[in-house]
Amino acid sequence: RLAWDVCGFIFVCLDILLIPMSVFEPERTAFDVTCEWSGRFFWSFDIIAQFLTGLLTDEGQVDKSFTAISRAYFKTWFALDLTLVLM
């Protein structure tokens, strides 16, 4: 999970750098295209991974119930994640 979070951090940093630069319409390079598609795949798979990540309960236990995980994800980050992936 830590490696996945580090990859997410790297993609967020790339987005912070590359999205504002797109206003100036620089020439697209293979690096830009690779970063763009890698980011799309990563964030799409991240939505799937969220359904496989356990929840920490108030008692300190990890709840691995798919129903509980899904309900919590739909109530919190799902709408934002889906919107950003579809953009």
Side-chain angles (χ1 to χ4, degrees):
R1 179 70 187 167
L2 179 61
W4 189 262
D5 290 340
V6 169
C7 287
F9 177 75
I10 290 169
F11 279 113
V12 167
C13 290
L14 282 172
D15 286 345
I16 288 171
L17 292 173
L18 297 178
I19 290 173
M21 288 178 22
S22 68
V23 172
F24 301 108
E25 298 179 1
E27 184 177 326
R28 291 180 54 88
T29 64
F31 176 76
D32 295 334
V33 173
T34 302
C35 286
E36 183 179 316
W37 280 100
S38 298
R40 286 180 182 170
F41 284 121
F42 177 84
W43 294 119
S44 296
F45 285 117
D46 186 59
I47 289 176
I48 296 167
Q50 293 304 315
F51 289 104
L52 305 174
T53 303
L55 295 172
L56 190 60
T57 65
D58 292 335
E59 295 82 30
Q61 301 295 321
V62 177
D63 185 356
K64 295 181 184 178
S65 164
F66 183 77
T67 305
I69 294 168
S70 299
R71 189 177 303 124
Y73 184 45
F74 282 128
K75 286 181 181 178
T76 56
W77 291 101
F78 180 75
L80 178 64
D81 288 348
L82 187 62
T83 301
L84 293 176
V85 166
L86 295 177
M87 287 177 84

